[in-house]
Structures are given as structure tokens and as C-alpha cells.
Amino acid sequence: MKVIMPMCSSRQLVCLRSVVWRKGAGLPRWLASSMQTQCVLPSDNTPSRSFAVKATVKESDTSIPYFLNFYDKTINSTATKDVPPLIASDLLVLASVSNPVERSTDILNQQLPPYVARVLLLFHKLPFIVGCNPHLKKVHTMYATAFKSFFTFAHQHRTTKKKDEFVKNYTNFLRTLLEPNAEVLALVSRGLSECVNMRYMAVEDANIFMKELIQSRIHIRFLMENHIDLLHKRENHVGRIHTSLSPAEVAKRSVVDASEAVNRRFGKVPYVVFDGETNFRITFVEQHLEFILTELLKNAMTATVERYRGGVLPPIRLTVAHKDTYFVVRISDQGTSFNPKDMHNIMRYSFEQGVDNTVFVPRDENATFREQDFQASAKKEDPKTDAAHSYAPYNVSHEFASRTLLGLEEESEDDRLLHNVGVGLPLSHAYARYFDGDVMLVPMPGLGVDAFVTMYCLASQTDTVIDS
């Protein structure tokens, strides 16, 4: 292929000569390094004092562009690729193959480049002034850098003959992505909030962007984390999937995490009473369920404390039930309720902020509760069980109150980064929908709110596509 550069005036002769002699300097390196540059200088009898530069691009060297610019179609073409459908059995079967990490690498090289490219297209479609926001620009750059690496690895995956070495390098690359991208949600939420409050972007447009970004992000991160977990062969685990998970045990850990977060704000937290079927086990992703339950419990505890300030806190009841291939967790609180008409506001991402930069979601006309402390504490503790009852009354307020008063419970950097970002409930809903489940809130006027989590056992999901 021949590329004809624009005609240049004689004033640009010196500059172009230096470009020619340096073999394409000033051009994109991926293009310059693959060009055979030839300068055609004007002869003495040429009427026009101008010249042309001819560049021959080697077709074989342009499969991996050095960087992606406005005219590069790599992102668009990758985003529109047909991605093979992925179902839970595709991941569970990794337990029976001889080299599960290598098989997972094959899956990721099919799944990840298109999904990362689709995230980049979301940023490309933002209004120019919104895309210039420093927080959004930082995240955009992170995904662009990741896409370049994914694109390169996908090319190497098709051509390499050293599979073991490639799998090792690919896995190490995935590890480098997980930690820096932990702050993505906080940065995007902060950037969108600034754009909405400065009226550069409509709230509904910000919600659509956030929803699509999070859907893709859940899929990308789950596949990466599942791949890395395959390296650590744990009992009753296939990568990230727990094959003998007790929802009741997960719920107890969520109570600890939620209690710690709420106690840090208010200095007290209500009891949580367990009942229902607590002895069954299912195949599911522990981290997803724990996040969902923790967020719902934080909301229930916060609403209870807000309503009964200065008084005795009524308990929160957590009920677990299951049948065949699915299970349900109900969390019933006696906090402030809300009008059913406000459901669409509660289940969407909140970007409109007040002067104090605090996000509020209405429960009713006279009460509000804040979705704060987005990140649950990583500390896990085993709750104490009262053997004299068929349920387990659980209270951690005194223990956490003493630790808080002693200054032992300080917010981490991630806590501060995600503080006051109204994404807890809609993000929980997105996690549930990823595995074809659901989160539903039912207001009980004058009594409180019942939250229902319905999830399906992954071992039974033989035909449900895991997708964002």
C-alpha cells in the first residue's frame, strides 16, 4: 500500500528533510517503523517549489498498531466482534480439564478484548466537555492502556508456540490490572457527579453511562479474578465459584461488615435475627452474594438507626429459604419506608449532590438515609450463636463501639474515595442480574422495608448465558 503525504511548501523543506533522514520520526512509531520513506525533491526546472513524500507501508507490520488514534478502527472492529456465549458450565468444567488455566486463557482471549473495546466506545460517545473531566479521563486512559495490552496478547495468543510461557505472562498481566482498577467506580461516580452538577450532562444520560459501564466491568473483573483463582486450588472451588456455599454463613459475615460500617457512623447498630433454612448449600460466587447482602443490610441498619435515634433499636430479621435450583434471602427492617413511586430513583445511580457533597435517597417525606461506606470492611469475624433458640440473635454494637471510641476503626483510602457515592443498591442489582438473579425492595407503609434477593444455583444454569 502506498501513502502519499500532502504537498509541502519550500519553507517546510528543512523540517521534512529531517523527518526523512530519521526514517519517519514525528509519525506514530508503529507506522514509522514499518515505512520505507522516499523523498522526491524538486528539480531546478520544476515550476512549483514543492515536493511529495511517498511512504510504502508494509502490510504485515500493521496488525498491532502502536497507539490508537481518531482514524484507527481497531476499537470499533473489536467491539462489534461476535463473542461466543459463555455459560456457567463452561467455567465449572474447568475443574475436569488437564490444564484449567490454559483453557481459561483461551476463554478470556475471546471474551475480554471485545468487552474492553465496548467500554472505550462508551467513553468515545460522551460529550467532549464531559470526556475532559479529569476523573473520567483517567479511567478512559486506564481502559485504553488495558485494551492495547489485551489486543497485543490476543495477537500473540494466535501466533505463539510457547503456550506455557504465554499463559504465565498473561496471568501476570491480569494481576497488574486488578488493583489499579479498584478505584474505577469511585472516579467515574465523582466525575459524573461533577458533570451533572455543572449541567454538562443530564442525570438520565449519566445513569445510562454508569449502568452500561458497570455491566461490562462486572463481566471483565469476574473473568479475570476467576482466572487468577484457578491458580490456587481450593477445596470446593472452581476458580471464583464455590461449589458448596452456605448462604447463611455468607449472610453472617455480611452482618459483621455492615455492622462495622454503620457503627462507624452512628455508634450503634441493631440486632440481626436469623431464621428459615440455614443448612443448605449451593454452587455460587461467594463474593457477589456477600456484596449484595452487605449493601442491603447497611441500608436496613441505617434506616433503622435513623428512625429510632435515641431509642431502642428493633431487630432486623434475615430469612433464608430455598427450593430445587434457587434460593431467596429476605431482609426485613422496621426503619423508614418509602413511596413505591420512588422505586426508580432508589434503584438508579445518584449523581445530584448537595452543598456538602452528600448523596441522599428519599425513604419518605420526613426521613432520609444516605448510601455511604460503599466498600465493606475486609475483616471477617464469626458471629456468636445462641444455641437456646432456633435462630441466631446477633449484636456487635458494643464491640465495635469500643473499638471506634479507641480510634481503632479509621476509614481506609478506598472508603474515603467511595464515601457518599450512591451506587450501593443499583450495583447490588447489577451483580444479581449478572447471574440471572434479582434484588427487589417492597415498602411496608409505617412498618419498614422488605428486601428480597433471589439467586439461582450455577450448577443448574446449563443454558443461561453469563453476560453483562
Side-chain angles (χ1 to χ4, degrees), residues 204-222:
E204 194 57 39
D205 293 336
N207 261 279
I208 293 173
F209 176 87
M210 190 71 164
K211 181 179 179 180
E212 294 180 353
L213 173 67
I214 284 180
Q215 287 174 339
S216 294
R217 186 175 183 272
I218 289 175
H219 187 64
I220 293 169
R221 284 190 67 86
F222 171 70

Side-chain angles (χ1 to χ4, degrees), residues 198-251:
M198 296 180 73
R199 301 187 184 280
Y200 292 147
M201 193 178 197
V203 176
E204 194 57 39
D205 293 336
N207 261 279
I208 293 173
F209 176 87
M210 190 71 164
K211 181 179 179 180
E212 294 180 353
L213 173 67
I214 284 180
Q215 287 174 339
S216 294
R217 186 175 183 272
I218 289 175
H219 187 64
I220 293 169
R221 284 190 67 86
F222 171 70
L223 291 181
M224 291 196 300
E225 290 168 342
N226 184 73
H227 177 89
I228 292 174
D229 283 357
L230 286 171
L231 296 172
H232 312 290
K233 295 182 179 180
R234 296 181 294 166
E235 185 179 2
N236 298 324
H237 280 80
V238 181
R240 204 72 165 171
I241 302 174
H242 198 312
T243 58
S244 184
L245 181 66
S246 168
E249 292 178 3
V250 175

